[in-house]
Amino acid sequence: MEDGMKRSNSDDPPVSVATEKVAVASKKQPPPESLESIRIRSLVVASFWVIVIFLGLPTWWWTTSIHRARLPLREMLEWADGKACKPAFPLQIVIDAPSLQELEAEHLVRITQHALDDLNEFSAHHLRLRLGKTSMPSNFTQNPTSLTSDVGLTSDYGDDMAILRKEVALTVRLLSHENTATLRAELQVHSTILDVFYGPGQVPSISSSSSALANFIAIKLQDLFAEEQATIAYILSSSNSPTGSHHSSTGLGQSTHTSQISSSSPREHRSGSSRAAATELAARLASRMTRSLKYAPTYHLTISLFTPTASPSDWDIDSALAETLAPLLDSLSGISNFTVDTQVQLYATFSPSVQRPEYDPDLEIWTLREEDLSGFINAAEWPLSPSIGAGPTLNFVIYVPDPGNVPLVVKGSRASSWLIPQWGGVFILNPPPGVFDQPTGLAGLSQAEIQPALLTFSHQLLSFLGAPQSPPSLPLQMQTLTRLRAASLLFSASSTMGSLARLTVALPSIAIPETVSTAVDITLAQLRHTCDALKAGRFHDALGHARVAEAEAENGFFEKSMVGQVYFPDEHKVAVYLPLLGPVGVPLVMSALKELNRLRTSFKTS
């Protein structure tokens, strides 16, 4: 059977391999496509690409484009680098010489100005003497204190006379006294008046080029404003430091500001004990800068009464504040605003980390160790909020010790008050002896008992605000603080402008809304006004412009829409677009490539 099958197969006619391949190929070949279908397919692909190019891409570009308002980057960097403004602080000093002839007074002012210029080596801060005009009271020899302090300026100031009178830094009254053999000066504590007493024969002649009286006045003026001059030099050196950055504190190396202070001192202060005084001034200045707060438009003051017992539970704080602290806050209102809160906390115990007071039998007092002062505040149990509202909070604590620990002072210094940098101050109020022996005990604190604590808090508040310790005249300290705040705000706003410009260049994908551009324009305009006002000696106007510049600079730098996009990385964009564009883009690209290949093939065949 097998042989028959083989025989029958062998009888079939042979089929070639080529014939089989042609048959298979003819079966797989699709039917020819009509020209109409090819044209329709090409139009469909082209329509998709037209929609993508002329509708999709513009819509995507319009909806995802980042608006970047135009900023004057060059001008902003010039302000940050200190090239746009070289601030100057010309202080107007009025010389009142009622007992001198006009020519003698003018000559004395002239040679005193020359002596001042020789002493001063810090050109940004200079004193400018002007001759005032007053009348000599007829009873001066019998009553020298009756001399009026309403000093006028000579009439050559024109329309700026009222402004200059307001901006007079100091009035020097030259008072002739028959019994005065040596020159002496007295600064009035509650006014901006320096009385200089001179005797007969000490007035320089018109032909003289120098005099002891002129040199004495120049040295006194230079000493009065030495700390202010050193502070401004410190601020200038801090603003020009290459290591400074936005919102960095004015911490600078000791050598930097010491050299600035030394260079701004008189020539007589360069050797011997004067160099030691300059070094001491530098250390005091660095300490004051460390504990002073950063400027804020509003400060919140919290005055608290704490006691470990049930008494005193009442205090006459309202009248004490109106009598002691309110006048100071009114004088500071041109610099910052202040809010005051009060509270009483009974059974306020010491912090567990503080050692109990020790009794000194020799002095019969209770003492606290100095190393425990920093942990005296029991933050865990005492209701002291670190911040109230937008501005910083300063806490001032009056602590009435336990009757068994009276009097309580600091060991060694025997002080009853101390300052905590960047936080506030503490005052230990020790009641008079015998108060706790009374039947009522210490039920409340009167205004007279609270007043010493509030006076201490006033000095601590000035220290926190950066007010200088000299000269010992509160009006002069307020004027100095006005000039220092204007300078620091000028440099702070300028530094913020530089930081914003560098951020704009470093992050090209960040949005810059129009509000930022408006804030920058306002800031730069206010900075120009501040610089012009400083050079003209209008320091109150300069402070007002500087406050606006600082506020607008902060608003522009911390714009919410900008801050949000600083942390928007490019990887996030890829993660968003890739799942959307992949399924849509691949078919469009492949169909376009096929059409281009078909056109190329048809072009070759034709």
Side-chain angles (χ1 to χ4, degrees):
M1 182 182 296
E2 291 180 359
D3 295 337
M5 292 177 63
K6 290 181 182 179
R7 192 178 301 113
S8 61
N9 290 336
S10 61
D11 296 338
D12 294 337
V15 179
S16 64
V17 178
T19 305
E20 293 180 356
K21 289 183 178 180
V22 171
V24 173
S26 61
K27 291 179 181 179
K28 292 184 178 181
Q29 188 70 22
E33 190 175 10
S34 63
L35 296 178
E36 183 65 21
S37 62
I38 294 174
R39 186 179 67 85
I40 293 175
R41 187 180 68 243
S42 300
L43 291 176
V44 169
V45 174
S47 63
F48 271 106
W49 277 103
V50 167
I51 293 174
V52 169
I53 295 175
F54 294 101
L55 182 61
L57 288 178
T59 303
W60 170 80
W61 183 265
W62 179 70
T63 55
T64 61
S65 62
I66 299 174
H67 176 69
R68 291 174 61 88
R70 296 181 61 88
L71 298 179
L73 300 179
R74 178 178 298 179
E75 185 177 2
M76 295 165 65
L77 292 175
E78 288 178 353
W79 277 100
D81 296 337
K83 299 177 181 178
C85 174
K86 300 296 182 182
F89 301 85
L91 273 62
Q92 300 292 333
I93 309 295
V94 173
I95 303 295
D96 176 25
S99 59
L100 297 181
Q101 298 294 329
E102 185 176 357
L103 293 179
E104 293 178 339
E106 291 178 354
H107 179 68
L108 178 61
V109 170
R110 190 180 305 111
I111 61 177
T112 305
Q113 184 67 67
H114 290 327
L116 268 177
D117 294 339
D118 291 339
L119 291 175
N120 185 28
E121 294 183 354
F122 184 45
S123 59
H125 184 280
H126 49 274
L127 308 179
R128 287 293 172 257
L129 304 182
R130 303 293 183 187
L131 181 61
K133 56 175 184 179
T134 56
S135 58
M136 175 67 180
S138 58
N139 60 345
F140 171 71
T141 56
Q142 289 79 14
N143 186 16
T145 60
S146 64
L147 185 61
T148 178
S149 61
D150 186 13
V151 179
L153 295 174
T154 53
S155 58
D156 56 348
Y157 293 107
D159 298 336
D160 296 335
M161 186 180 298
I163 298 177
L164 289 176
R165 186 180 291 111
K166 178 183 178 181
E167 297 293 348
V168 168
L170 181 68
T171 299
V172 179
R173 297 193 307 190
L174 302 180
L175 306 179
S176 176
H177 206 279
E178 295 293 337
N179 299 326
T180 301
T182 59
L183 296 171
R184 62 186 179 91
E186 293 180 1
L187 178 65
Q188 297 188 12
V189 179
H190 301 292
S191 64
T192 59
I193 297 177
L194 176 67
D195 292 331
V196 177
F197 298 92
Y198 65 95
Q202 294 179 331
V203 178
S205 61
I206 299 179
S207 60
S208 63
S209 59
S210 64
S211 71
L213 179 59
N215 293 333
F216 178 80
I217 296 174
I219 292 175
K220 286 296 180 182
L221 292 178
Q222 190 73 17
D223 290 340
L224 281 178
F225 296 98
E227 186 170 353
E228 176 183 343
Q229 195 177 76
T231 307
I232 292 178
Y234 186 97
I235 295 174
L236 286 173
S237 63
S238 300
S239 64
N240 295 330
S241 174
T243 59
S245 60
H246 178 62
H247 294 124
S248 64
S249 61
T250 55
L252 202 63
Q254 181 76 13
S255 60
T256 304
H257 64 262
T258 302
S259 62
Q260 289 285 347
I261 294 172
S262 301
S263 65
S264 63
S265 302
R267 287 194 178 104
E268 286 82 355
H269 293 185
R270 280 186 173 182
S271 60
S273 61
S274 299
R275 284 191 174 183
T279 304
E280 181 182 357
L281 176 60
R284 187 169 69 247
L285 181 60
S287 176
R288 176 160 62 87
M289 287 295 183
T290 300
R291 64 174 175 261
S292 62
L293 294 174
K294 184 181 181 294
Y295 171 80
T298 302
Y299 294 95
H300 305 281
L301 309 182
T302 300
I303 301 177
S304 307
L305 174 63
F306 288 89
T307 176
T309 61
S311 62
S313 59
D314 187 24
W315 58 339
D316 192 7
I317 188 62
D318 293 334
S319 58
L321 287 175
E323 180 72 20
T324 307
L325 196 59
L328 176 62
L329 298 183
D330 290 339
S331 63
L332 292 171
S333 60
I335 301 175
S336 295
N337 299 320
F338 296 88
T339 62
V340 181
D341 299 318
T342 61
Q343 64 174 344
V344 177
Q345 178 68 26
L346 306 179
Y347 301 103
T349 59
F350 283 118
S351 174
S353 61
V354 176
Q355 185 175 343
R356 302 296 299 176
E358 301 174 353
Y359 182 72
D360 190 338
D362 297 332
L363 301 176
E364 297 182 350
I365 58 175
W366 292 84
T367 61
L368 286 171
R369 300 185 308 171
E370 291 187 0
E371 53 267 27
D372 292 334
L373 297 183
S374 60
F376 180 83
I377 301 299
N378 190 353
E381 299 181 7
W382 294 5
L384 293 171
S385 177
S387 62
I388 302 176
T393 298
L394 288 174
N395 295 278
F396 296 104
V397 175
I398 299 177
Y399 185 81
V400 180
D402 188 270
N405 297 331
V406 175
L408 181 63
V409 295
V410 179
K411 188 175 182 179
S413 63
R414 299 180 65 179
S416 59
S417 63
W418 63 91
L419 184 145
I420 303 176
Q422 305 291 323
W423 187 87
V426 179
F427 184 91
I428 299 178
L429 197 156
N430 292 298
V435 173
F436 293 104
D437 298 333
Q438 300 177 2
T440 58
L442 187 62
L445 297 177
S446 63
Q447 175 182 346
E449 292 172 328
I450 302 174
Q451 191 170 7
L454 294 184
L455 290 175
T456 301
F457 294 156
S458 299
H459 291 289
Q460 293 176 348
L461 175 61
L462 291 176
S463 178
F464 281 121
L465 296 179
Q469 299 179 0
S470 65
S473 171
L474 184 59
L476 286 180
Q477 291 180 4
M478 293 296 99
Q479 289 186 1
T480 299
L481 185 59
T482 299
R483 291 187 283 269
L484 295 181
R485 283 302 190 189
S488 61
L489 291 179
L490 171 68
F491 295 127
S492 177
S494 301
S495 175
T496 304
M497 289 291 98
S499 300
L500 180 57
R502 288 186 287 269
L503 178 67
T504 303
V505 176
L507 299 176
S509 61
I510 191 173
I512 303 177
E514 292 295 336
T515 54
V516 175
S517 178
T518 303
V520 169
D521 293 338
I522 295 176
T523 301
L524 296 179
Q526 294 297 326
L527 287 177
R528 288 189 289 268
H529 293 327
T530 302
C531 187
D532 295 339
L534 286 177
K535 293 179 180 179
R538 302 191 308 271
F539 301 112
H540 289 85
D541 295 341
L543 178 59
H545 293 305
R547 292 178 64 178
V548 177
E550 174 71 6
E552 292 295 332
E554 293 291 318
N555 292 336
F557 189 84
F558 291 106
E559 172 66 28
K560 295 181 180 179
S561 59
M562 289 182 58
V563 174
Q565 294 204 12
V566 170
Y567 307 100
F568 194 87
D570 293 335
E571 291 80 0
H572 184 73
K573 299 178 183 179
V574 175
V576 170
Y577 285 126
L578 193 58
L580 296 176
L581 298 181
V584 177
V586 170
L588 286 176
V589 172
M590 295 304 297
S591 61
L593 292 177
K594 289 181 179 180
E595 287 298 316
L596 292 176
N597 189 25
R598 185 187 63 78
L599 292 175
R600 184 172 60 85
T601 305
S602 62
F603 178 77
K604 288 182 178 180
T605 57
S606 62

